[in-house]
Amino acid sequence: LRGSHDVAVSTLRGASEKAPQAAVIRYHLAMAQAKAGRLQEAKASYQAGMTIDSTLPEARSAAALVQ
């Protein structure tokens, strides 16, 4: 499974570069990074998502993984 999380991180990182103001992508990136064991990166992605839009349901899911 770890390899699939790494693929997700790579894919979501690319998506976040193409759509930097899409908070939902940042939250999913944070969740994938956390599951891949990249907690510091996950926290940074989560914070970026919170800065853009803290009201999305994904914010709660991501928060549970990065706290």
Side-chain angles (χ1 to χ4, degrees):
L1 282 176
R2 185 175 196 99
S4 62
H5 295 307
D6 290 334
V7 170
V9 167
S10 178
T11 301
L12 289 163
R13 186 176 289 126
S16 72
E17 290 170 2
K18 291 179 181 175
Q21 294 302 312
V24 69
I25 294 172
R26 300 291 182 142
Y27 292 131
H28 284 281
L29 176 57
M31 290 185 276
Q33 289 166 325
K35 290 179 180 180
R38 302 176 183 183
L39 195 53
Q40 293 302 321
E41 292 176 40
K43 288 180 181 182
S45 295
Y46 171 75
Q47 288 301 322
M50 288 293 288
T51 300
I52 298 165
D53 186 348
S54 62
T55 66
L56 294 176
E58 289 84 359
R60 188 173 304 146
S61 299
L65 291 174
V66 302
Q67 301 301 327

